[in-house]
Amino acid sequence: MQSPLFSYAEQQSQERYVVQNPQLLRVALTGHDDILARKGAMVAYQGLIDFDGEYQSRNQRNARARTGEGLDLMRCSGQGTVYFANLAQYVHVVDVDQDGMTVDSAYVLALDSTLHTEVIAVDSQYGISGSGKYQLNISGRGKVALMTSGQPLMMQVTPDKYVNVDADAIVAWSSSLRVQMQAQTHSTGVWRRRGNTGEGWELSFLGQGFALVQPSEVLPPQNAQVGQGARAQYGMGQHGSHSQNQNNAWN
């Protein structure tokens, strides 16, 4: 049998994480270090691999129920090669160091089991911190595979150049950055937008680090879950379409 399809054969590499192609992640397991991956993200594997639901502590369950932010993970262990993908989104491997990384959990495909995750609240100039926008802080040393809808933009933040990003387009940023959630509004009314621009909540970043932006303000609709409380109301992250509908009603 002959076909151009055979040019897409698996890559040979000694690296633990390999981007097989822009939308497919290859992870090598040696039997020593497990990997945590998004539930249902496995598309193929070779070798002796076990898949099991990842246990969540009481604190993690409470944080998930309170904020809508968190990870639905499976633990992958054994020896062999596993391939992960989700809705043909673009895959990017990031090395997490001591500075840590903050990310919307909806964009996490896989991560080393040695990394620590914690739900945090984003500050807001309008006093909704703790009830509106939550993110996931990842700390420790290891690798994380992120997903974006389309090829992303990596923006450098420096002390003399701060960056503003649409809250529905941000994927991740350096945890060392100072961040504040704000709205493109008149000063006299936080819930009313300037004119009819379609622009609303944004995140402002200050300090030294990076902000990763995707060229899309809405994740693909499959498997997307609308969050609870203010998160759903304000349309943050993957709920951007809901945000647009809400704010059209306010204008």
Side-chain angles (χ1 to χ4, degrees), residues 133-152:
K133 182 56 176 168
Y134 293 90
Q135 296 282 5
L136 196 70
N137 192 62
I138 301 177
S139 58
R141 288 185 177 272
K143 293 184 181 293
V144 178
L146 300 178
M147 306 176 293
T148 61
S149 295
Q151 296 283 14

Side-chain angles (χ1 to χ4, degrees), residues 95-101 115 137-142 174-176:
D95 284 300
V96 179
D97 55 23
Q98 65 272 14
D99 292 333
M101 178 177 66
L115 291 171
N137 192 62
I138 301 177
S139 58
R141 288 185 177 272
S174 303
S175 295
S176 57

Side-chain angles (χ1 to χ4, degrees), residues 144-171:
V144 178
L146 300 178
M147 306 176 293
T148 61
S149 295
Q151 296 283 14
L153 169 67
M154 180 67 81
M155 303 190 71
Q156 296 295 325
V157 183
T158 62
D160 59 346
K161 184 180 70 173
Y162 64 87
V163 172
N164 294 320
V165 178
D166 189 298
D168 288 344
I170 188 70
V171 174

Side-chain angles (χ1 to χ4, degrees), residues 11 126 185 209 216:
Q11 296 188 27
Y126 297 116
T185 65
S216 172

Side-chain angles (χ1 to χ4, degrees), residues 20-244:
Q20 168 70 27
N21 64 49
Q23 295 153 304
L24 188 64
L25 175 69
R26 174 183 184 270
V27 181
L29 295 177
T30 62
H32 300 291
D33 297 319
D34 296 347
I35 185 174
L36 301 177
R38 187 186 187 93
K39 283 184 178 179
M42 182 275 291
V43 296
Y45 71 93
Q46 295 175 315
L48 299 175
I49 309 294
D50 289 326
F51 302 92
D52 196 7
E54 176 63 3
Y55 170 78
Q56 288 189 329
S57 68
R58 175 177 294 181
N59 288 340
Q60 290 173 322
R61 292 195 300 269
N62 290 341
R64 183 67 178 273
R66 185 179 70 256
T67 67
E69 189 71 27
L71 293 171
D72 285 325
L73 297 172
M74 60 180 178
R75 180 174 290 266
C76 311
S77 58
Q79 290 183 300
T81 303
V82 190
Y83 293 88
F84 299 104
N86 184 61
L87 301 174
Q89 290 186 282
Y90 285 80
V91 178
H92 317 274
V93 178
V94 181
D95 284 300
V96 179
D97 55 23
Q98 65 272 14
D99 292 333
M101 178 177 66
T102 304
V103 62
D104 189 318
S105 61
Y107 303 115
V108 175
L109 180 62
L111 72 160
D112 284 334
S113 61
T114 53
L115 291 171
H116 175 71
T117 62
E118 181 183 12
V119 176
I120 61 171
V122 175
D123 188 23
S124 167
Q125 70 184 80
Y126 297 116
I128 62 173
S129 178
S131 63
K133 182 56 176 168
Y134 293 90
Q135 296 282 5
L136 196 70
N137 192 62
I138 301 177
S139 58
R141 288 185 177 272
K143 293 184 181 293
V144 178
L146 300 178
M147 306 176 293
T148 61
S149 295
Q151 296 283 14
L153 169 67
M154 180 67 81
M155 303 190 71
Q156 296 295 325
V157 183
T158 62
D160 59 346
K161 184 180 70 173
Y162 64 87
V163 172
N164 294 320
V165 178
D166 189 298
D168 288 344
I170 188 70
V171 174
W173 66 84
S174 303
S175 295
S176 57
L177 291 175
R178 287 176 290 135
V179 57
Q180 184 177 69
M181 187 164 65
Q182 57 192 21
Q184 288 286 0
T185 65
H186 292 295
S187 59
T188 56
V190 61
W191 307 118
R192 186 172 179 81
R193 298 176 181 232
R194 288 197 196 110
N196 188 23
T197 65
E199 299 299 336
W201 294 100
E202 62 186 35
L203 297 182
S204 180
F205 298 98
L206 301 93
Q208 185 78 42
F210 72 88
L212 182 65
V213 185
Q214 67 176 357
S216 172
E217 296 186 11
V218 186
L219 274 172
Q222 298 93 332
N223 296 333
Q225 296 180 353
V226 176
Q228 302 298 318
R231 179 182 173 93
Q233 180 182 356
Y234 301 139
M236 310 310 297
Q238 69 268 41
H239 313 313
S241 59
H242 189 78
S243 172
Q244 297 297 333

